Structure formats: structure tokens, C-alpha cells
Amino acid sequence: MASSLTKDSVSPGTPGSERTFFGQPRGLATLFMTEMWERFSYYGMRALLPLYLVAPGGLHLSAATATAIYSVYVSLVYLLAMPGGWFGDRVWGPRKTVAVAGGVIMLGHLTLALPSSGTFYAGLGLVAIGSGLLKANISTMVGHLYDGPDDPRRDGGFTVFYMGINLGAFAAPLVIGTIGENVNWHLGFALAALGMALGLAQFLIGSRHLAARSSVVPTPLSAEEKTSTLRKAAIWAGIAVVFYAIVGFSGHYTLNWILVPLTILGVVIPTMVLVRIKRDKDLDGPEQSKMSAYIWFFVAAAVFWMIYDQGGSTLSIFADSSAENSVLGWSFPVSWYQSVNPVLIMALAPVFAWFWLALNRRGKEPSTIVKFASGLVLVGASFFLFLAPLTIAEGGHKAAAMWLVGIYFVQTVGELMLSPVGLSVTTKMAPMKYASQMMGVWFLAVTAGDATTGLLSIAGVGLNGTGVVALEATLAVVAGVAVWMYRNKVKQLMGDVR
């Protein structure tokens, strides 16, 4: 990356003003590399996770249990993004929070690398906690590199940063997946730990190029608030320890004693957060109206992510057992399917950006609501497409790899229609009082979607059955059509947001 650092003239006092990274503040190189390696470790482990859970040489669990564990894990990562942001704002500041998070993630992957089922779940918990701490704060630090929201380099900087995410996500299954599947599962998890170690080292070495305010705690807890917070945390931790000790010593403990409460929390907490914001008396009329409109987007997004994130669980487990994982006679590991989405994102995102701009110049760009509805219809269409390889497998044959690639392609196009729009509309419709919290609320839509998948799996619903897949596909298409049909009502509720 050093070769891309060039001399450039920027305003004095800007972090890294003496040199730039692709025309951006030099600190972006530090955050780019940190995020790339963190995503490398995260997506590499995630690509292995469902396969390890069902493998005879792994934990050898049922597909339903593996899907439940995977879904709970992903929902936790996004659920913990809110308290992670809170820690950055009120306890440690973004820079310290990210450093601690990197250490926790690395420790989690090392714990996963130990050949023990007991430590495996502890490792998953550590990675989820670390990812939640890191997720919100590293993006905040990218924003700190610029002179406010009107800095002309800001949008380009976030674009470069998100390229780091997709580069890490693309490379991880190819490296970690190959080693994990073909050599040793635990060595694969150890490679994920190495990736995070490289990211953490890059962060600590390059942190001198970050903005000074990244080390500042914006709204520190008062002494009374610290005492109250610690007391409440200790009480809840004590209740959990006593409860699970009783369950364990009585001989009734099963994995569902952990999975069921976490999946229920994944649905209940997002609901409670939305209800609390909607019922807040401090919000004026227009803000209340926008929140009513936002609930439409939130519910629709939860349906989208419920299906989309099964690309890493239901589709992956299907590919492992029922797909011909080869192209033109060349075989590849199942985990490689997880590289399809990031490479398509990198290829198609610039095309979509150009396409929307071209339509905008002609006054024909679709509205936010139409894009959102299209994303839902497309993710539903991807599961209608999934019915073809499922039917082939039911006939006793192996489904061709290109069926799965086609499914991931349709889902990626749907993601590009919905996800950037969701992020944008979240920032535009956020009430002033909740401006800094609303991005965490958006992540809760992912939590709700994945938690729903987890609940279905725990209930014994076979998510790779043709009937269930058809039902989910229909649900997404119906939700997309409903959003489109009520677009005028939603647009009215949105007020001045377009």
C-alpha cells in the first residue's frame, strides 16, 4: 500500500495532511487495512462455520442446529453493534474500543482453533463481542478524518474504505476456507486469528495518522452513571450465572438453553427499540411521521436479511451435501461460494452508481421506496431460483455449481438495490435526538432477520425443503409488492425525505 501514498496539498491540521492515500487522508490507509484484515478473519471463519458444524470431522450436528447456531451468531454480531457504539461514545472512545475489539476477536479465533467443542462456543461469543465493539467505531473514525460532512473527499473516502471490506471478504474463503476444508478445520480458524493479528498490528502502528478526536470519549459517563451501569451489569451477570448453574447441575442443560433466549432477544430487542423511539414524547410531528415510515423499511429489511444471510448457512450446507462443486471439471471447496458475493459487489457497485446517476440526470431515477421494493422482490426471486437445484437434488442428482452462483448473483443485485438505500434513508429519517443511534437501529434489522431464521431452525423447520424455501420466497416478493403498492402512503409519511 505504500506505493499508493503520494504527496498532496490539503488544508493544514487535517490528519495526515503531509501525505495522502489515493487522495484521501493518510489515516484512511490504517483504517482500510485494519478493516480489510478484520473482515478477512470474520468472513473466513464464517465461511467455515456451518461446514464445520455439520462435518463428521467437526461437531457433526444436524443441518437445523448448524443453521440455528450460525443465525444466532450473525444476529449477535449486529445486535452488539449498538452497545459497541455506546462503549465508544461513553467509555473508551473509538480508538481504544477498536484496539480492544481487535484483541478480543483475535482471542476468539484462537479459542475456536482449540480442538474442543466447549471452547468452540466460547470462541464464537468472543468473536461476536469483538465484532460488535469494532463495527460502529471504525466507521466513526473514518468520518473523523474529514472536515465535517461537507468535506468533498468524504464520500470517496468511505467508498475506498468499503472496498477494504470486500477485498477481505473475497480473499478469506479462498485462503481460510481452503485450509480449513482441505487441511484442518482448526488450522483454518487459526489463520483467521492471524488475519486479525495483522489487522491489529497495522492499527496500532498506524494509529498516529488518525484524527486526535478518535481518542476522545465524546460523552463520558459520570461517576454515578458508571456505578449504576456496573451494578446493573453485575446483577444481570449474576442472575445468568446462577440460572445456568442450576440448569447445568440439574442435568437439564442442552444447547437450546443458550440458543432459544438469544434468538428471542434478537427479535424482542429490535422491536422494543423501535417502540421506544416511536413513543418518545420529545419527537415532534414530522419526526413521528418519519419514524412511522421507517418502520416499513425496517420490517422489509428484516425479511430481506432473513433470506439473504441464508446464503452462508442454508445454501452452504446444501452445496456441501447436494451440489457438484466443480466448473469444467475443476473442483473447488464449498467455502469458495462465499467469495462470489464480495467479488460481484466490487464489480457491480460502480455500475449501479453510474446507472443511478445517469437516470437522475434524465429525471428517471427510481425513488427510494421503489429501489427498496425491488431489492425485496429480487431476494425472493433468488429463493424461487433455489427451488431448481433443490428439485434436482431431490431427484437423486447433484445440482450444478452455476445454479448456486446464479442465486448469489440475484441476491447481490438485490443487496445493491436495498442496502445502500437503507443506510441512506436511515441517516435522512433519523430524529435529531437519535441521530447517532439510528445506524445501530438499522443493524438491528439484520439481527431480527437472522434471529427469525434461528427460531425457525430451533423449531425444527427444514429450511432447505422446497415448501419452506417457496414460502420464504413468496413472503419476500409479497413484502416487496406491498411496499410498492403503499409507496404513496409511505412517501407521504417520509415528509421532505426523498
Side-chain angles (χ1 to χ4, degrees), residues 82 180 295 317 378 380 403:
M82 280 197 82
I295 290 172
I317 292 171
L378 282 167
W403 281 113

Side-chain angles (χ1 to χ4, degrees), residues 153-172:
R153 301 168 300 165
R154 187 183 181 92
D155 287 351
F158 272 97
T159 300
V160 172
F161 176 70
Y162 286 120
M163 285 297 289
I165 294 175
N166 286 294
L167 279 172
F170 167 69

Side-chain angles (χ1 to χ4, degrees), residues 101-127:
V104 172
I105 293 169
M106 183 176 67
L107 180 61
H109 288 305
L110 287 172
T111 307
L112 290 173
L114 298 174
S116 165
S117 59
T119 56
F120 181 82
Y121 295 112
L124 277 184
L126 287 170
V127 176

Side-chain angles (χ1 to χ4, degrees), residues 400-474:
M402 293 312 293
W403 281 113
L404 295 172
V405 172
I407 294 168
Y408 287 119
F409 175 81
V410 175
Q411 289 188 346
T412 301
V413 175
E415 179 188 4
L416 288 168
M417 297 286 285
L418 180 141
S419 187
V421 171
L423 290 167
S424 176
V425 83
T426 296
T427 58
K428 291 177 182 176
M429 294 171 66
M432 188 65 67
K433 182 177 178 179
Y434 296 98
S436 61
Q437 299 178 43
M438 283 300 287
M439 199 55 70
V441 174
W442 169 252
F443 287 143
L444 289 180
V446 186
T447 296
D450 282 303
T452 302
T453 301
L455 283 173
L456 291 172
S457 298
I458 292 168
V461 176
L463 294 176
N464 56 358
T466 52
V468 175
V469 169
L471 184 62
E472 288 185 89
T474 302

Side-chain angles (χ1 to χ4, degrees), residues 244 247-248 251-261:
Y244 282 104
V247 172
H252 293 93
Y253 178 80
T254 65
L255 192 57
N256 280 350
W257 281 101
I258 291 288
L259 294 179
V260 172

